[in-house]
């Protein structure tokens, strides 16, 4: 059985009640590929708004969680609280949190484990900087990020991997189809050798990094690209075109 195509929309720190409600209404009324799994990640304040108003079949993800179940952690939200709110997904390891907030591989792995232990599914983000790519370290960096998770997690059935080259996020630059497929194939090989052949066959690997309605169809044709994690374009009508890119 083939891997179900997956499209996630990461709203980042964008949106208001009015604009997010408008996006949700647009998605609810749009004709979407029924074979594609769709998840949107609005800012934390609007998670319940999204969950309440989205039609059945579109899921919601938190953009972040903490790795402790409760306690004196001002400003943080736990995996259990996310699950208790009816949210089924969470992002972990996005480069903006790695770079801007200094989250390291070990902490991201700990958050991933906390999410899985609470019954959440995880979109695990990995990717290299421009300097790392130019130094021909892309595969080394990405697999090191994945290995940190493999050191703490045995079951990958509720993990979706998102490969997002840092140099392509929000820049308008996008990895070539060949560059993206090469890294996705390397990730699948890593899964086969370090986790299991079953995980390699079943785990969905998304591409992210300036995905648009203009480049999504060619990327979607690649053997090891199982969907997209979309940033800015998820706030626009073009998000529907990306969701339907596998038709």
């Amino acid at each position: 059985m083939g891997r179900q195509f997956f499209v996630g929309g990461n709203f980042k720190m964008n949106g208001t009640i009015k604009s997010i409600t408008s996006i949700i209404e647009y998605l609810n009324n749009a004709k979407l590929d029924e074979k594609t799994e769709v998840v949107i990640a609005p800012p934390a304040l609007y998670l319940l708004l999204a969950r309440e108003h989205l039609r059945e079949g579109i899921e919601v993800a938190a953009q972040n969680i903490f790795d402790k179940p409760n306690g004196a952690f001002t400003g943080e939200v736990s995996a259990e609280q996310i699950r208790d709110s009816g949210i089924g997904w969470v992002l972990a390891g996005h480069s903006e949190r790695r770079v801007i907030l200094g989250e390291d591989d070990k902490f991201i792995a700990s958050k991933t484990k906390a999410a899985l232990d609470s019954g959440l599914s995880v979109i695990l983000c990995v990717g290299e900087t421009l300097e790392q790519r130019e130094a021909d370290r892309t595969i080394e960096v990405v697999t090191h990020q994945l290995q940190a998770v493999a050191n703490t997690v045995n079951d990958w059935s509720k993990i979706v991997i998102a490969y997002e080259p840092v140099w392509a996020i929000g820049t308008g630059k996008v990895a070539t189809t060949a560059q993206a497929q090469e890294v996705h194939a390397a990730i699948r090989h890593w899964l086969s050798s370090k986790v299991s052949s079953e995980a390699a066959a079943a785990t969905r690997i998304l591409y992210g990094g300036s995905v648009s309605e203009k480049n999504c169809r060619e990327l979607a044709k690649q053997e090891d690209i199982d969907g997209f994690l979309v940033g800015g374009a998820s706030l626009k009508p073009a998000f529907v075109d990306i969701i339907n890119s596998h038709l």
Side-chain angles (χ1 to χ4, degrees), residues 5-8 31-38 206-207 211-222 225-230 237-247:
F5 204 71
F6 184 109
V7 176
K31 183 173 177 57
L32 304 179
D33 182 0
E34 295 179 354
K35 295 180 180 180
T36 294
E37 186 169 6
V38 180
L206 316 180
Y207 175 76
V211 176
S212 72
E213 73 279 13
K214 297 178 181 178
N215 57 35
C216 61
R217 290 191 178 277
E218 189 61 31
L219 288 162
K221 295 176 183 177
Q222 304 309 302
I225 295 180
D226 303 310
F228 304 109
L229 181 58
V230 185
F239 188 46
V240 169
D241 296 325
I242 299 172
I243 293 170
N244 292 333
S245 62
H246 205 234
L247 284 171

Side-chain angles (χ1 to χ4, degrees), residues 192-207:
S192 180
S193 61
K194 300 297 184 180
V195 182
S196 69
S197 58
E198 292 79 11
T203 301
R204 290 171 292 182
I205 307 173
L206 316 180
Y207 175 76

Side-chain angles (χ1 to χ4, degrees), residues 6-192:
F6 184 109
V7 176
N10 178 13
F11 292 7
K12 306 189 180 185
M13 199 176 71
N14 294 300
T16 62
I17 291 175
K18 182 179 179 180
S19 67
I20 289 176
T21 299
S22 177
I23 292 169
I24 289 169
E25 288 177 353
Y26 187 80
L27 290 174
N28 285 346
N29 293 320
K31 183 173 177 57
L32 304 179
D33 182 0
E34 295 179 354
K35 295 180 180 180
T36 294
E37 186 169 6
V38 180
V39 178
I40 63 169
L45 274 174
Y46 308 122
L47 286 169
L48 294 180
L49 172 75
R51 182 61 286 156
E52 180 181 355
H53 293 288
L54 274 170
R55 78 189 198 197
E56 186 177 352
I58 303 177
E59 296 299 322
V60 181
Q63 295 181 16
N64 181 47
I65 59 163
F66 199 55
D67 64 341
K68 303 295 189 294
N70 53 63
F73 304 105
T74 301
E76 297 294 339
V77 178
S78 73
E80 292 180 3
Q81 290 168 331
I82 293 297
R83 185 191 62 183
D84 184 52
S85 299
I87 309 301
W89 287 84
V90 66
L91 273 66
H94 194 281
S95 66
E96 289 156 3
R97 299 198 64 86
R98 291 180 188 267
V99 175
I100 299 171
L101 298 171
E103 295 188 358
D104 61 19
D105 292 345
K106 185 176 181 181
F107 183 44
I108 291 161
S110 181
K111 293 203 297 185
T112 300
K113 185 177 188 303
L116 295 172
D117 287 349
S118 293
L120 300 176
S121 296
V122 177
I123 302 172
L124 174 63
C125 304
V126 297
E128 84 285 9
T129 65
L130 182 60
E131 293 77 12
Q132 290 165 337
R133 171 163 281 277
E134 290 178 341
D136 199 26
R137 296 184 57 220
T138 295
I139 307 304
E140 172 195 345
V141 169
V142 168
T143 54
H144 187 274
Q145 292 168 344
L146 291 168
Q147 186 61 52
V149 175
N151 291 341
T152 61
V153 170
N154 294 320
D155 183 2
W156 286 65
S157 63
K158 298 188 77 172
I159 295 177
V160 172
I161 298 170
Y163 166 60
E164 296 195 303
V166 179
W167 48 271
I169 297 174
T171 63
K173 297 179 180 179
V174 62
T176 66
T177 302
Q179 286 174 326
Q181 168 57 24
E182 178 186 18
V183 179
H184 281 235
I187 291 172
R188 204 168 303 285
H189 175 75
W190 177 88
L191 284 167
S192 180

